[in-house]
Amino acid sequence: MTQMTFARAINSGLRRSLDNDPKVLLMGEDIGTLGGVFRVTDGLQKDFGKHRVVDTPLAESGIVGTAVGLAYRGYRPVVEIQFDGFVYPAFDQIVSQVAKMHYRSRGAVKMPITIRIPFGGGIGSPEHHSESPEAYFAHTAGLRVVTPASPQDAHTMIQQAISCDDPVVFFEPKRRYHDKGEVDESLDPNSAPPMGQARVVTDGSDVTLVAYGPLVKTARDAATAAADEGVSVEVIDLRSLAPVDFATVEASVRKTGRLVITHEAGQSGGLGAEVAASITERCFYHLEAAPVRITGFDVPYPYSKVEMHHLPNLDRILDGVDRALGRPNSLSGLEG
Amino acid sequence: MHCAQFLPRWLYHLNIVSMVTINRGKGAREAGKRRYHESCRGMVTRRQKVAATVVTDDAGQGGTIAGQDNNAGRRGGAGHSMVQLITPTGERVSHPEYDPWVRDVSDEQLCSLYEDLVVIRRIDKEATALQRQGELGLWPPLLGQEASQVGSVRSLRDDDFIFPSYRENGVAYCRGVDLADILRVWRGAASGGWDPYAVNMAIPQIVIGAQTLHATGYAMGIQNDGADSAAIVYFGDGATSEGDVNEAMVFAASFQVPLVLFCQNNHWAISEPVRLQSHTQLVDRGAGFGIPSMRVDGNDVLAVMAATRVALDRARRGGGPTFIEAVTYRMGPHTTADDPTRYRDPNELEDWAAKDPIGRVHALLDRKGLFTAEFEAGVRTKADAVARELRAGCVGMPDPEPLDVFKHVYSTPNSWLDRQQDHYSRYLASFGDPAGATQEEGAR
Ligand SMILES: Cc1ncc(C[n+]2csc(CCOP(=O)(O)OP(=O)(O)O)c2C)c(N)n1
Ligand SMILES: [Mg+2]
């Protein structure tokens, strides 16, 4: 076990993938000499060369489109999109090409492409640097979408994503890049929990609280605070957003009867809606209350002086927990 | 019709033709056309691929075609000659083609351009300091690019419309944007700092290259309206790689719209040198789309002004778009969050310091006997006053209200959002504190 930051854990995972498979290569803007604007790829070009860690021209559609060609040729490209808000120039290549190639070629062509995207807010950035676009991709058939929440998961899941024969959109919670944790770098990704599996972070019996990415830490803090008030919250880190491991969530809700879901992305058409609907379908008669969503608002990501109002925080999550429990809360008296 | 439109596209993609200077003959036109059709039929031989190809350029600026043998873009200056009217040492050199375009610039106006350059540098310095002091979240310095910005914006009419990137804060100042409004976005107090229609300048664009299409569309509107104004779009060397920028040039050329494509080649896109973006000089990008293109010394305020005036005149007379590559240098970091020592040779900085845009106008004014102590003091007083006003506007800017989060998303009521706003105000009220002062923990 080694103490390392989230960013370093991904770096170490990338290094292992580059070491283990000569077909793995990294592409992106400023990832080589600079080591990425968040230094996630720091030192990799020096060690693996310019042909395996490639600084590309400034063109996201170009980056993803050429990754498709490289995959056609048998490579496993790992591309970095510098910030969440800059993935859209590549949206066409991702949705129409990356996601559908296997289907369109009747399984003949594999697209083992990993698209790394630092996402989420809370770092005081200007516009386009703090978005949570995961629902667009989760909605796209043919893509797998995952997001790690701890350095250990970051380390293993990036390797699992790279070795997966399907394209994976890999969302990295950028405000957690500097958080530290124990990482077992010798852990074999094949024997670690698969990236598609959700994880129960803290056991609890009163309410199930579902989170992913940057908000897992916030959810855990909320659970600790709730425990002080005698409320037992079970926190689940989804890890995979497409497909969602509903079995794990369902098992928890059958136990607690109450469900709160939180994400930074806007509410409408988001992952919370999917989780709420699916769990309601699966275990309606075990639910004691309507599922509660604590999310960002349906607004463009706001400027930094007010971003804290947009982002779910500990208090807002606890307010949601109160609502799920039928305790006094900010919406008491309102029906939905 | 520009012959460049008939060029086989693989010439650009394969980069295997050698560089050839422009030929304006009809034969060349035919040759280009024929080869295009052959390539369409998939009959291109290897020999044809390496054959030299020619292109005409209505601007008469001389153009080049990309190729591996072409080191021009890499070295700079070896291909397209660079228009320069003031040398780095402040000598006014004559240029038969461009002199007429700045002949009317009086001594007084030259002094005023100097003042612009100095004031903008001062704004940049003050804003950088404000960021270091925690008053701004981020700042993208324009240090070194003052002449490109001043020379171009001071050529515009009030009814021309500007589409800037995030770095055109010098342009904004000259355009008369309120100083505090320039900083509003960088302080995180708004998503756009000013009313574009009040100054005929769009709000800054962070998504690289996106504004080039907006400018093209705006120019299509000017054209449809039969007006004689123009649009100008600012973008960087890195931006030329984006699809949007290339599509903008396709549209601009196809419709021959009144547009100036003003590319500040400051040699870096964060850590990536310009040679990673282009095998040729950037000016060739414009020529490749059949757009008359010029390469000017972007640290020479007069040369930039001349080139911009040429372009605007063409636009106003219905002559279509012009591409200007202003060759300059980003003397500072990409933004205040960047550390250029990780990727940049400090010697490069020294080389460019010797070509400083302000130093050369200073020297020129000196030669002319205009740089008096009184003048210098006047400029300094002005710069100090602007810096003071900038700082006061920044620190005195009122913070936005919590419920501002919901503002301006739609222009008409929206049931989803209205409900969320209602719920969030109830939530804030549940703290017994409508201002939501307890939200400090929010972004943790
Ligand atoms: C579509 C998009 N991709 C990536 C970025 C991140 N980014 C911001 S500035 C920049 C470099 C831009 O270089 P250039 O066009 O030369 O302009 P300069 O910063 O030098 O003025 C990059 C990659 C972005 N803002 N937008
Ligand atoms: Mg640049």
Side-chain angles (χ1 to χ4, degrees):
Chain A
M1 288 286 205
T2 320
Q3 267 271 330
M4 64 176 81
T5 62
F6 201 107
R8 196 75 209 164
I10 301 174
N11 180 282
S12 154
L14 290 169
R15 179 177 290 279
R16 280 191 55 165
S17 296
L18 284 160
D19 264 332
N20 294 340
D21 185 348
K23 290 296 187 190
V24 170
L25 56 84
L26 274 45
M27 307 204 304
E29 296 157 8
D30 306 289
I31 68 165
T33 318
L34 183 64
V37 294
F38 293 106
R39 310 289 185 261
V40 171
T41 53
D42 193 20
L44 297 178
Q45 187 181 68
K46 193 162 108 316
D47 295 343
F48 293 94
K50 290 191 165 169
H51 292 284
R52 295 196 67 203
V53 180
V54 185
D55 269 331
T56 67
L58 206 181
E60 291 74 16
S61 183
I63 294 169
V64 176
T66 53
V68 169
L70 282 156
Y72 242 109
R73 179 78 189 173
Y75 282 86
R76 268 177 201 278
V78 182
V79 308
E80 175 179 301
I81 300 294
Q82 197 164 85
F83 282 89
D84 33 59
F86 307 139
V87 67
Y88 309 116
F91 201 61
D92 170 60
Q93 286 290 342
I94 296 174
V95 172
S96 299
Q97 308 301 329
V98 174
K100 298 188 175 88
M101 196 63 78
H102 188 255
Y103 181 76
R104 290 168 54 217
S105 68
R106 294 185 293 152
V109 182
K110 296 204 170 32
M111 283 289 128
I113 298 174
T114 304
I115 302 171
R116 294 184 38 240
I117 309 178
F119 86 125
I123 62 165
S125 269
E127 54 180 354
H128 313 297
H129 290 78
S130 297
E131 303 190 358
S132 296
E134 62 270 18
Y136 298 134
F137 300 99
H139 190 70
T140 301
L143 300 176
R144 290 177 184 275
V145 181
V146 303
T147 174
S150 70
Q152 180 67 65
D153 273 357
H155 184 260
T156 45
M157 286 168 70
I158 188 65
Q159 295 176 70
Q160 292 168 338
I162 293 170
S163 59
C164 178
D165 278 346
D166 287 324
V168 179
V169 182
F170 191 86
F171 281 106
E172 302 172 3
K174 69 170 87 76
R175 70 164 134 149
R176 305 294 178 214
Y177 270 147
H178 301 297
D179 288 5
K180 282 192 173 161
E182 292 289 335
V183 176
D184 178 0
E185 288 173 283
S186 65
L187 187 66
D188 178 3
N190 295 315
S191 57
M195 65 181 182
Q197 214 170 70
R199 186 170 71 98
V200 177
V201 181
T202 47
D203 289 314
S205 51
D206 296 333
V207 182
T208 301
L209 173 57
V210 172
Y212 56 83
L215 289 186
V216 171
K217 178 175 186 290
T218 318
R220 222 176 34 210
D221 293 347
T224 308
D228 286 347
E229 299 173 16
V231 175
S232 166
V233 176
E234 179 147 299
V235 177
I236 295 181
D237 171 9
L238 283 185
R239 301 192 340 138
S240 175
L241 309 183
V244 170
D245 172 15
F246 287 122
T248 299
V249 183
E250 183 186 342
S252 174
V253 172
R254 280 176 185 267
K255 183 172 69 177
T256 63
R258 300 174 197 270
L259 173 63
V260 177
I261 312 134
T262 185
H263 52 65
E264 290 186 13
Q267 183 166 86
S268 304
L271 262 293
E274 189 54 44
V275 172
S278 296
I279 293 304
T280 306
E281 283 170 355
R282 283 162 180 250
C283 49
F284 179 65
Y285 293 106
H286 289 81
L287 280 171
E288 306 281 348
V292 175
R293 288 175 288 169
I294 303 296
T295 68
F297 305 117
D298 292 335
V299 301
Y301 192 87
Y303 34 97
S304 58
K305 289 247 180 210
V306 287
E307 70 179 328
M308 71 285 229
H309 291 286
H310 174 73
L311 293 171
N313 62 7
L314 188 141
D315 282 324
R316 267 176 76 195
I317 290 173
L318 289 179
D319 188 57
V321 167
D322 284 341
R323 185 155 183 81
L325 284 164
R327 306 197 330 170
N329 64 86
S330 68
L331 302 184
S332 289
L334 291 184
E335 201 163 305
Chain B
M1 181 60 76
H2 302 294
C3 256
Q5 287 167 332
F6 292 122
L7 279 177
R9 296 189 58 182
W10 47 255
L11 283 173
Y12 295 97
H13 299 151
L14 297 179
N15 273 329
I16 51 173
V17 283
S18 57
M19 175 186 134
V20 173
T21 326
I22 287 189
N23 174 325
R24 296 190 188 84
K26 179 158 174 285
R29 197 163 296 198
E30 298 298 345
K33 195 181 266 177
R34 193 184 66 242
R35 216 170 277 119
Y36 174 74
H37 288 303
E38 283 171 356
S39 73
C40 279
R41 292 200 305 269
M43 286 171 56
V44 186
T45 64
R46 180 133 188 96
R47 195 163 52 75
Q48 278 172 314
K49 280 188 197 172
V50 292
T53 304
V54 284
V55 57
T56 54
D57 178 342
D58 286 1
Q61 308 300 339
T64 58
I65 294 181
Q68 276 182 340
D69 305 333
N70 175 10
N71 285 319
R74 264 165 279 181
R75 295 205 205 95
H80 249 78
S81 61
M82 189 172 73
V83 180
Q84 188 180 71
L85 301 180
I86 309 173
T87 68
T89 53
E91 190 187 340
R92 175 71 172 82
V93 285
S94 71
H95 193 303
E97 219 173 315
Y98 288 88
D99 278 343
W101 293 95
V102 287
R103 194 155 288 149
D104 63 306
V105 176
S106 63
D107 283 353
E108 197 185 330
Q109 281 169 315
L110 201 59
C111 287
S112 149
L113 290 173
Y114 177 82
E115 182 191 284
D116 281 344
L117 296 170
V118 171
V119 170
I120 286 170
R121 182 162 293 183
R122 187 60 199 276
I123 289 174
D124 196 55
K125 198 170 151 200
E126 196 70 20
T128 302
L130 283 164
Q131 195 281 333
R132 298 290 180 231
Q133 293 154 5
E135 296 291 345
L136 297 179
L138 192 75
W139 176 254
L142 61 92
L143 186 67
Q145 299 178 222
E146 296 88 354
S148 289
Q149 300 200 6
V150 170
S152 52
V153 67
R154 287 298 186 202
S155 303
L156 301 176
R157 280 190 340 216
D158 285 350
D159 62 342
D160 295 329
F161 205 95
I162 304 169
F163 287 85
S165 87
Y166 42 87
R167 210 180 290 287
E168 276 66 67
N169 294 303
V171 172
Y173 164 75
C174 290
R175 198 59 168 175
V177 174
D178 181 76
L179 289 166
D181 284 349
I182 293 179
L183 298 188
R184 209 166 286 280
V185 164
W186 306 106
R187 191 166 162 86
S191 45
W194 59 82
D195 173 3
Y197 295 114
V199 282
N200 277 350
M201 177 168 177
I203 49 176
Q205 182 59 255
I206 285 180
V207 177
I208 300 299
Q211 74 278 17
T212 55
L213 282 165
H214 309 162
T216 305
Y218 191 96
M220 287 163 67
I222 294 176
Q223 191 179 43
N224 279 356
D225 294 343
D228 77 339
S229 57
I232 182 168
V233 59
Y234 290 88
F235 55 102
D237 45 296
T240 61
S241 294
E242 288 282 9
D244 276 6
V245 176
N246 289 271
E247 290 176 32
M249 290 196 272
V250 169
F251 274 62
S254 182
F255 298 131
Q256 290 293 294
V257 300
L259 173 69
V260 183
L261 292 138
F262 194 89
C263 177
Q264 284 170 87
N265 175 3
N266 65 8
H267 286 80
W268 291 92
I270 309 187
S271 74
E272 299 190 338
V274 61
R275 66 177 173 275
L276 178 63
Q277 314 291 344
S278 182
H279 241 49
T280 68
Q281 293 179 340
L282 295 179
V283 66
D284 297 331
R285 293 280 170 97
F289 288 93
I291 297 174
S293 302
M294 295 175 252
R295 190 165 196 263
V296 300
D297 184 340
N299 285 7
D300 173 352
V301 70
L302 218 50
V304 172
M305 186 168 251
T308 312
R309 285 172 163 192
V310 168
L312 287 167
D313 178 65
R314 179 180 290 126
R316 299 196 203 294
R317 286 189 293 104
T322 304
F323 184 103
I324 297 173
E325 177 190 355
V327 182
T328 179
Y329 193 79
R330 194 195 80 207
M331 295 295 285
H334 170 68
T335 65
T336 44
D338 178 41
D339 172 15
T341 62
R342 286 179 70 99
Y343 54 80
R344 211 157 69 164
D345 180 353
N347 290 329
E348 211 180 85
L349 215 66
E350 252 175 65
D351 290 350
W352 280 94
K355 302 182 210 168
D356 186 71
I358 299 185
R360 70 178 75 187
V361 183
H362 178 161
L364 176 61
L365 293 176
D366 227 4
R367 281 169 196 257
K368 287 172 165 267
L370 297 166
F371 203 84
T372 60
E374 190 191 354
F375 170 68
E376 190 182 10
V379 171
R380 193 177 321 120
T381 308
K382 167 86 182 185
D384 286 345
V386 169
R388 261 197 315 275
E389 190 188 332
L390 185 82
R391 174 169 288 270
C394 178
V395 300
M397 197 180 295
D399 277 348
E401 297 295 321
L403 294 183
D404 285 352
V405 168
F406 299 95
K407 268 193 191 157
H408 304 308
V409 183
Y410 300 97
S411 54
T412 55
N414 181 280
S415 57
W416 282 4
L417 201 54
D418 295 346
R419 186 170 187 274
Q420 290 178 10
Q421 175 165 351
D422 173 48
H423 284 195
Y424 192 61
S425 11
R426 287 167 192 269
Y427 170 78
L428 291 180
S430 73
F431 291 90
D433 169 14
T438 47
Q439 288 298 296
E440 292 298 301
E441 289 296 306
R444 302 280 148 77

